[in-house]
Amino acid sequence: MVACSCGCGEDELTKQLEKIIDEYRGQPSGLIQVLTKAQNLIGYLPLWVQTRIAKGLGVSLQEVYGVVTFYAFFSLIPRGRHKIAVCAGTACYVKGTKKVLKALKDTLGIKEGQTTPDSRFTVEVVRCIGACGLAPAMIIDGKDVHGRLEPEQIPEILEQYA
Ligand code: FES
């Protein structure tokens, strides 16, 4: 953790989290907004973050945990700087999702759902990403669609995110 520059003893991340919570303090209806902002700040939602949010908004920790585990967008574990979502929808699956996943596994040394030790990549398997005409496809960071994938293209694509 990085200590706050003002010398108050609280770490910088915690101070920023408290600022986010302050916007919705005592307002349970702000839970999803606060969780989203907190995850954008920290990268995931560990227990200490959920506890502070629960206390700040006046909801139970169970309720916070329930929301975090309900929405796939939220994560309880650290995720990489780049999120690779490999499509396993029908069109992609038929055209080679398994080969794409194997190439990612061989190149990065991780399985689906895992993050590389250097926190660079997280690999996830998702359903149709709306690029069926480009099957098999994957999307990186929610915006870069890579389609008609061949396993041998994977190392070169990953290099773009060095
Ligand atoms: S099935 Fe893969 S993009 Fe639609």
Side-chain angles (χ1 to χ4, degrees):
M1 294 200 180
V2 181
C4 180
S5 57
C6 75
C8 64
E10 210 167 46
D11 71 87
E12 186 60 39
L13 212 51
T14 305
K15 281 191 85 167
Q16 289 180 35
L17 175 64
E18 285 299 326
K19 267 190 195 167
I20 290 170
I21 293 170
D22 279 344
E23 288 177 49
Y24 298 89
R25 194 164 293 282
Q27 301 173 50
S29 61
L31 181 56
I32 289 184
Q33 289 94 322
V34 172
L35 288 171
T36 303
K37 288 181 180 187
Q39 181 163 285
N40 288 342
L41 173 69
I42 296 163
Y44 70 115
L45 297 165
L47 186 59
W48 71 269
V49 171
Q50 294 179 56
T51 303
R52 277 190 179 250
I53 291 172
K55 201 172 165 193
L57 270 62
V59 297
S60 70
L61 182 58
Q62 287 82 355
E63 191 176 338
V64 174
Y65 182 79
V67 171
V68 170
T69 52
F70 180 79
Y71 292 102
F73 169 77
F74 295 128
S75 178
L76 292 166
I77 54 172
R79 299 169 93 194
R81 291 189 298 282
H82 301 291
K83 284 97 186 160
I84 303 171
V86 180
C87 180
T90 305
C92 288
Y93 192 83
V94 167
K95 292 209 169 182
T97 296
K98 274 188 177 175
K99 285 189 291 184
V100 172
L101 275 172
K102 182 174 183 324
L104 282 166
K105 186 180 162 191
D106 292 347
T107 307
L108 297 173
I110 57 171
K111 296 179 194 167
E112 62 183 85
Q114 294 183 333
T115 298
T116 53
D118 63 0
S119 298
R120 198 166 138 212
F121 294 106
T122 296
V123 174
E124 295 169 341
V125 174
V126 298
R127 294 296 157 197
C128 184
I129 58 172
C132 310
L134 299 176
M138 65 182 185
I139 185 166
I140 300 182
D141 297 337
K143 58 183 174 53
D144 303 336
V145 175
H146 300 272
R148 298 198 179 98
L149 290 167
E150 296 293 339
E152 49 276 10
Q153 293 176 292
I154 296 296
E156 193 182 319
I157 290 170
L158 297 181
E159 275 305 305
Q160 296 169 27
Y161 299 86

